[in-house]
Amino acid sequence: MGKMVNVFFGNIYYGKKVLITGNTGFKGSWLTCWLLELGAKVYGISKDIPTSPSMFEELHLKDRIVQYMDDIRDKERIKRIIDEVEPDFVFHLAAQPIVSLSYSEPVDTISTNVMGTTHILEALRLYNKPCFAVIITSDKCYDNVEWVWGYKETDALGGKDVYSGSKGAAEIIFKCYYNSFFKRPDCPIKLVTARAGNVIGGGDWALDRIVPDCMRSWSNNRFVEIRSPKATRPWQHVLEPLSGYLQLAEQLYKNPELTGESFNFGPQAEYSHTVQELLEDLSRCWHYKNAKEAYRITGDIKFHEAGLLKLNCDKALFYLKWMPTLDYHTLIHFTGDWYYVFYQRHTDMFAYTIEQIKRYQQIAEEKGLQWTK
């Protein structure tokens, strides 16, 4: 049987071994599904199943990949796994991703996000065989002074909370590892960092996130309480940054001189909407006739939250020709419909997720985006 060819991402993932850390999480589960659709051999490292329910379990992804249930803070174990798998590509997503949890568990947040990333970089340094790695951090890595324009990859790193600080620190660790060990021209390890944030989509059940909070409440016919209705976020569907990560790894594979660089992936400026606007739009997918019945506003603000944070993605556009795919209306329907189907129709959610991925690819093809050619 001949090799199956698709045009997406130059078909570079077909038959390749791809290792994803944090693959049992929300973004990791979506990336797993997409890579399986692209014909990759997927390996995952995660220390646990982070939520209940979880997309990883509901889609039965453990039966479709090779899974390691290990903690990225275990340096020796991570080294052994990479040596055993011999990955062609690595996508490092494993993290403590919840801002609110960083207040109650600051040491775990720092040890996971900073030392965990260090252990991945150290394992790759010792592996020293051809491999292309994308280290994913967050838009929160920037020192957010809440200005109205987007942060560029050259702007200052930092953070007022432990989570943001841990992501800024992970980027600094990457930079020093790159310059100390990976910068030499003959180094077989090529690696970059990617920064994105405010990702929504079906299958997220994390605590203290607005969309999962809504879906848990609405599935039980309850209204949801929101803390900061006027907070503005540049919302994007989970497939948007994932398309960026996949395209970035493809371009790194084809153009190794990109090694050591960092790239932002975010939506267009007009996709910034308030939390209240997002809820009202999502409520229509759940057939609320009056959006005011879907939520209540509370003044209970438990921790510091940035009021405004946008990314400048000109670098990704210039070097990768990367652009977002979905308009805001389609973003809402992709997200709301996934949850509605899950809670109300009890269908095969792996098949439905692949269907959304194929629809996303179709929209990108119709727009002539670079990674579809």
Side-chain angles (χ1 to χ4, degrees):
M1 187 174 177
K3 180 180 178 181
M4 182 185 72
V5 177
N6 67 60
V7 296
F8 306 117
F9 308 107
N11 199 38
I12 66 163
Y13 297 109
Y14 186 86
K16 295 295 198 319
K17 292 187 285 188
V18 183
L19 177 64
I20 307 171
T21 72
N23 68 300
T24 60
F26 166 51
K27 286 174 73 174
S29 294
W30 273 96
L31 182 57
T32 297
C33 290
W34 202 346
L35 282 164
L36 288 171
E37 172 64 16
L38 293 171
K41 300 173 183 176
V42 179
Y43 300 77
I45 303 176
S46 289
K47 71 181 178 68
D48 56 22
I49 309 296
T51 63
S52 181
S54 81
M55 187 173 178
F56 181 79
E57 290 186 317
E58 295 296 339
L59 273 59
H60 306 289
L61 294 180
K62 187 177 181 181
D63 300 331
R64 305 175 190 272
I65 68 172
V66 178
Q67 181 66 42
Y68 295 90
M69 298 305 292
D70 289 281
D71 195 325
I72 59 170
R73 291 175 292 185
D74 185 339
K75 182 180 69 172
E76 294 304 318
R77 181 61 181 148
I78 296 305
K79 179 185 180 300
R80 286 197 297 272
I81 292 172
I82 287 181
D83 288 343
E84 180 180 311
V85 173
E86 295 188 323
D88 299 298
F89 295 91
V90 171
F91 292 91
H92 172 51
L93 284 80
Q96 193 298 93
I98 308 300
V99 174
S100 61
L101 199 58
S102 73
Y103 282 85
S104 59
E105 299 179 7
V107 175
D108 279 350
T109 300
I110 293 169
S111 63
T112 299
N113 296 353
V114 182
M115 290 310 301
T117 299
T118 304
H119 292 161
I120 295 297
L121 294 170
E122 177 68 1
L124 288 171
R125 179 181 76 86
L126 297 173
Y127 177 59
N128 202 36
K129 295 179 183 178
C131 183
F132 302 87
V134 179
I135 308 299
I136 290 95
T137 60
S138 169
D139 61 346
K140 307 296 189 300
C141 71
Y142 293 107
D143 184 15
N144 185 10
V145 294
E146 304 208 8
W147 56 35
V148 296
W149 50 87
Y151 291 85
K152 302 188 298 294
E153 289 83 353
T154 51
D155 284 327
L157 302 172
K160 295 181 178 66
D161 58 86
V162 169
Y163 172 78
S164 301
S166 73
K167 290 299 187 177
E171 287 280 355
I172 292 171
I173 292 295
F174 170 86
K175 183 178 180 180
C176 73
Y177 251 80
Y178 169 72
N179 283 287
S180 297
F181 307 115
F182 299 115
K183 192 174 182 178
R184 69 180 195 277
D186 64 336
C187 180
I189 305 292
K190 307 299 179 184
L191 68 180
V192 288
T193 70
R195 305 161 181 175
N198 293 301
V199 172
I200 64 174
D204 186 7
W205 281 285
L207 295 175
D208 291 322
R209 283 185 182 160
I210 187 61
V211 172
D213 287 349
C214 286
M215 300 309 160
R216 277 187 288 263
S217 297
W218 296 349
S219 66
N220 290 302
N221 296 313
R222 299 197 308 262
F223 62 80
V224 66
E225 292 186 348
I226 58 174
R227 295 184 298 269
S228 307
K230 301 303 180 185
T232 301
R233 298 287 184 267
W235 309 104
Q236 61 180 330
H237 190 270
V238 62
L239 290 175
E240 302 282 35
L242 294 186
S243 74
Y245 306 161
L246 290 167
Q247 188 179 357
L248 178 54
E250 175 204 354
Q251 291 302 311
L252 183 64
Y253 178 82
K254 294 177 177 176
N255 305 299
E257 63 272 16
L258 289 176
T259 188
E261 296 289 337
S262 298
F263 289 85
N264 290 338
F265 297 99
Q268 297 173 3
E270 60 266 29
Y271 293 178
S272 291
H273 293 265
T274 66
V275 170
Q276 187 170 354
E277 289 170 335
L278 179 78
L279 262 60
E280 291 180 354
D281 293 333
L282 280 173
S283 71
R284 297 186 184 97
C285 296
W286 280 70
H287 307 294
Y288 278 92
K289 294 181 179 178
N290 182 359
K292 302 298 184 185
E293 298 174 359
Y295 64 89
R296 299 286 188 276
I297 297 172
T298 174
D300 182 19
I301 300 177
K302 301 175 183 177
F303 49 86
H304 169 79
E305 291 181 290
L308 180 66
L309 179 59
K310 292 193 293 186
L311 296 179
N312 180 312
C313 302
D314 289 349
K315 185 177 179 180
L317 174 61
F318 182 81
Y319 285 100
L320 312 177
K321 304 294 188 292
W322 180 85
M323 296 176 62
T325 297
L326 303 180
D327 59 33
Y328 177 73
H329 175 77
T330 310
L331 154 70
I332 291 296
H333 277 282
F334 264 55
T335 302
D337 291 350
W338 195 101
Y339 284 106
Y340 191 81
V341 167
F342 174 80
Y343 281 112
Q344 304 296 332
R345 298 182 185 172
H346 308 289
T347 189
D348 179 344
M349 293 310 297
F350 179 78
Y352 187 78
T353 300
I354 295 298
E355 182 182 316
Q356 283 203 338
I357 290 171
K358 288 181 176 178
R359 176 59 182 148
Y360 180 86
Q361 291 176 160
Q362 180 185 358
I363 296 170
E365 262 191 312
E366 291 168 354
K367 291 187 173 183
L369 298 188
Q370 181 69 27
W371 57 266
T372 70
K373 299 176 182 178

